[in-house]
Amino acid sequence: MVLSPVLGKLVSKRVVLASASPRRQEILTNVGLRFEVVPSWFKETLEKSSFAAPFEYAVETARQKALEVANRMHVKHMRTPDVVIGADTIVSVDEQILEKPVDKQDAYRMLSRLNGKEHSVFTGVAIIHCHSKDSKLEMEITDFYEETKVKFSELSEELLWEYIHSGEPMDKAGGYGIQALGGMLVEYVHGDFLNVVGFPLNHFCKKLAELYYPPSKHNVQHKKYDSIPSVDTFENLSDGESESSNFTEHKGASKLDSSGKHSSGGVYTSENSSGVRTGFTVPLENQNGVSQRPPEVPSKILELMDGFRASKALLVASKLKIFDHLKHKGPLKAVDIANEIGTSVCGTERLLDACAALGLLEKTPQGYGNTDSVNTFLTSDGEYSLHGYIIHSNDHLWPLFTNLESAIKEGSRQNHRAFGKKAEDLFKDYYHSQEGKQCFMAAMHSIARLTARDVATAFDLSRFKSACDLGGCTGALARELVQIYPNLKVTVFDLPEVIANISYFQPSGQHTAPVTFVSGDFFKDKLPEADLYILSRILHDWPDEKIHVLLSKISALCRPGSALLVAETVLDEQKTHPSRAVLQSLSITEGCAILLAEMVLDDEKKNRSTALLQSLNMLVQTEGKERSGSEYQALLEQHGFTNVKIRITGNLLDVILCVKT
Ligand SMILES: O=c1[nH]cc([C@@H]2O[C@H](COP(=O)(O)OP(=O)(O)OP(=O)(O)O)[C@@H](O)[C@H]2O)c(=O)[nH]1
């Protein structure tokens, strides 16, 4: 293939497309380029009036998009890419720059401006070559732009509004997509069509050719500043040109440090579509000679700032059962999914693209498909599906968390604000409707399925003959216990409204040793007798006063040698993270035998924030909280439980075993 030597230069490189635009991804995928997509977080807010020409704005925005990604990947992931590609498409008409419309009125304003006239579409592109030297990021940046002229026919108001209502204009520069319905608005196109769609592929390939095969002196036939080889030059390229086949610094590339500053100062050049260099100055210093470049925002902060968007995208995609549809029918195009689930095409496409950018979906020319972990954890029928918990998060926790500020100010749960009703107790709230009950049970079931094995095996429980799982809900932990300890008889004790609904969660087909279900309220009713009591994710729901009621009831039933197993997320003493040192000193001073799972630092940090965010979660919805090892120990010892052992599992739940003496 004529172009393959050029793109072939990128084969062995880690190429990153710093763009969320599905069109750019498709254009580059279609020519066989392999790349990762890391959408840029750069906000397109450069002051337009500070640029002498529209293309300068597009080029600078493309540069900033690519620089942001290169820096973020280097700093955050220590995964320095080899090449980062950024692009920005704008429409220019009557000396105005049009970007993507913010709403339908804005789309109308844009399309009315374009109506019956010729306008220019500019796409600025930045190609950054990155190198990590002594863990510092060094970059060489090449940029260019392409201009295409497009003329719209005279269009009626009715047609414009019909087009706007199709939803197509919303994520497109100038408010139209020439590749789809918008093509019907267009009378002519002069120049590169793909440039209008979002990526000037032809100019990009020429630029790569120039970078990887710089013309030797004897075959330069172009005018002084035009170093772009003509297309037929590609045909003469071969990988045999080893001397010049790697990227070499050339006059079109400027060296940058990791902040994106040019080592040569603030002047850089850019090439227009005919290869003529134009220069302009980026003001780098204010009058006092102090750098005006703002400090770089750490990527962690940006990630947290926008984290709720990613969560909500995941929750909504699950709620709409997008992952289920893709599991059974994928890969599917956005329009097919939208038809299946009855949503807008434009909104669905954006959600799917966001999910692809978040690594949840794979996007190929055939459409969108689930990744393996989505099939395992996010589809509703998977054995270890988190779907139940995700729906609970979307329908209950999200509205509660939006009232976090009030919860912090008032120190109490926010059901009344989130759902407009007086807070009763936690479970009465969840169980007031059949739907609420099933949703909450599904949520608890999904967490129990994922943690049951680690909870059941944290300690050797084979000496016990009977166990009672108080608040054991669907029996997921109970079933794991009877499988691991065949001599153990397990009773699940839970509210009558829970027990009435367990059949939906019983495994079908496979034979498991029986689990007994008994209904009752563990605060009020008589508890079944057992030599091992289990409280999994129960104590964190309640304040100390209520815990004392429950523990004294259990304690009164226990004979010497009976035991209590508690499964919770255990915080360290400073409530920062499960720390080895703290837990080990506890083991000496308090007689706890503590065995710690080996956790890599990253996991430890993740567990730490998960546990502490879970504590906030308890604040917004319950009267309870997450507690530290010594807090649990103190509660348990007050009721005659001793020999408190804590196991940090590395899973969502840690396990505490204590014995009644
Ligand atoms: O005819 C068409 N014209 C333009 C487009 C699409 O419009 C957008 C332009 O927006 P931008 O360059 O800012 O890119 P984004 O989509 O926001 O992605 P980034 O992450 O790169 O900022 C672009 O998607 C074009 O493809 C079109 O589809 N048809």
Side-chain angles (χ1 to χ4, degrees), residues 385-540:
S385 170
L386 278 165
H387 190 259
Y389 196 81
I390 288 172
I391 299 306
H392 172 60
S393 301
N394 187 64
D395 293 357
H396 294 280
L397 303 183
W398 184 274
L400 287 163
F401 251 87
T402 59
N403 291 291
L404 181 63
E405 188 181 332
S406 307
I408 304 295
K409 286 180 182 158
E410 295 159 12
S412 57
R413 55 200 297 251
Q414 295 295 315
N415 264 46
H416 54 300
R417 282 206 175 76
F419 305 114
K421 57 178 188 242
K422 195 174 152 288
E424 294 188 72
D425 90 18
L426 171 67
F427 296 98
K428 288 205 180 99
D429 283 344
Y430 283 133
Y431 296 158
H432 78 280
S433 71
Q434 182 63 13
E435 195 200 344
K437 220 176 306 182
Q438 294 238 338
C439 178
F440 186 70
M441 287 178 71
M444 297 306 106
H445 185 75
S446 53
I447 299 294
R449 286 290 295 127
L450 282 172
T451 53
R453 175 61 57 96
D454 283 334
V455 171
T457 57
F459 295 97
D460 179 4
L461 305 175
S462 55
R463 69 189 161 95
F464 299 107
K465 298 277 173 281
S466 60
C468 177
D469 187 1
L470 296 165
C473 201
T474 63
L477 174 58
R479 269 189 294 277
E480 194 76 37
L481 285 164
V482 293
Q483 274 192 0
I484 294 168
Y485 307 103
N487 296 327
L488 188 66
K489 305 252 172 299
V490 185
T491 302
V492 171
F493 186 83
D494 213 318
L495 293 169
E497 44 272 59
V498 173
I499 303 297
N501 281 282
I502 53 164
S503 56
Y504 180 75
F505 299 95
Q506 303 312 300
S508 54
Q510 75 203 74
H511 174 76
T512 49
V515 167
T516 308
F517 288 86
V518 174
S519 64
D521 179 336
F522 52 54
F523 285 120
K524 296 184 191 143
D525 298 324
K526 185 171 178 295
L527 305 180
E529 287 192 3
D531 47 22
L532 174 69
Y533 286 94
I534 299 169
L535 291 168
S536 181
R537 299 187 93 216
I538 299 298
L539 297 185
H540 74 166

Side-chain angles (χ1 to χ4, degrees), residues 18-24 39-40 44 65 87-89 100 171-173 176-179 196-198:
S19 173
S21 166
R23 277 72 56 179
R24 292 192 183 115
S40 181
E44 296 170 36
K65 286 182 185 179
D88 189 64
T89 303
K100 291 163 290 188
D171 59 345
K172 318 254 172 5
Y176 71 96
I178 198 166
Q179 69 278 23
V196 184
V197 181

